[in-house]
Every structure is written in C-alpha cells, then in structure tokens.
Amino acid sequence: MQKLSPSFSGALRTFSFWIANGTVGMPLLKGIDYSCIFEEPSALEQAYAIFANVIEMDNEGVVCNAKHAEMRAAQFIRSYVDENYTVEPEFEGWEVALH
C-alpha cells in the first residue's frame, strides 16, 4: 500500500502550521485577518482543496511547487475575506475541485 511521501507530508504540515498561526501566503496576506475561515468550514476546506490540487510531486514523491500551491490557496483566502481582491490568474476548475 502506498503512503504519502515525507516531502508531501512535510509540505502539508507546514501549510497547516502557517494557516493556523496566521502567516500563510506572505506577503499577500500580510496584515489581513483571515481568522473567519476557521468559523466557516467550507472556506477552510476550499483552501486545503486548492493546496492539494495544485501541489505537484516528482516520481520520487518530492514536492516541486509547495510555495506556488500555498500562494494559490492564499489567493483564495484573500478573495474570501476581501471582496475587492481579484485572483490573477483566475482559478481553473481543476484547482478548486472538491474530491
């Protein structure tokens, strides 16, 4: 049975730590209080879905784009809390899919 790679586990753990302590997506979210996503489970779910859908690994399971996946999730969070923010480029369907 296959397991998640240590590289992916580490990227997910780090992303979770940054979400929880308010430092995810710097500098995009610097000074922005996004704590409301902890009160709206579907918003937090969407941020994690974007992170998981965007992240890529090589054939050995080594994560290749953790910062990009984090930034795309941060863009969603910013758009959730700031109605004047526009995500660029717009999300594609595969990025926001809930599996």
Side-chain angles (χ1 to χ4, degrees):
M1 176 180 301
Q2 247 184 344
K3 295 196 179 262
L4 294 174
S5 71
S7 180
F8 177 79
S9 294
L12 181 61
R13 177 199 52 77
T14 301
F15 177 71
S16 297
F17 176 78
W18 288 336
I19 285 257
N21 78 4
T23 60
V24 74
M26 293 300 174
L28 180 65
L29 295 176
K30 184 177 175 101
I32 295 176
D33 178 12
Y34 60 83
S35 60
C36 63
I37 68 166
F38 298 111
E39 298 167 12
E40 179 53 54
S42 64
L44 188 58
E45 175 187 32
Q46 186 65 71
Y48 270 88
I50 291 167
F51 179 80
N53 291 341
V54 172
I55 204 157
E56 297 175 350
M57 292 166 280
D58 66 15
N59 290 336
E60 285 76 44
V62 175
V63 172
C64 305
N65 68 341
K67 289 306 285 181
H68 178 66
E70 175 196 350
M71 189 52 56
R72 292 301 276 167
Q75 287 178 300
F76 166 75
I77 294 168
R78 175 78 182 261
S79 71
Y80 183 80
V81 300
D82 178 358
E83 64 185 31
N84 297 313
Y85 176 75
T86 302
V87 174
E88 292 290 337
E90 290 183 20
F91 289 116
E92 296 185 36
W94 65 266
E95 290 178 290
V96 297
L98 298 174
H99 298 285

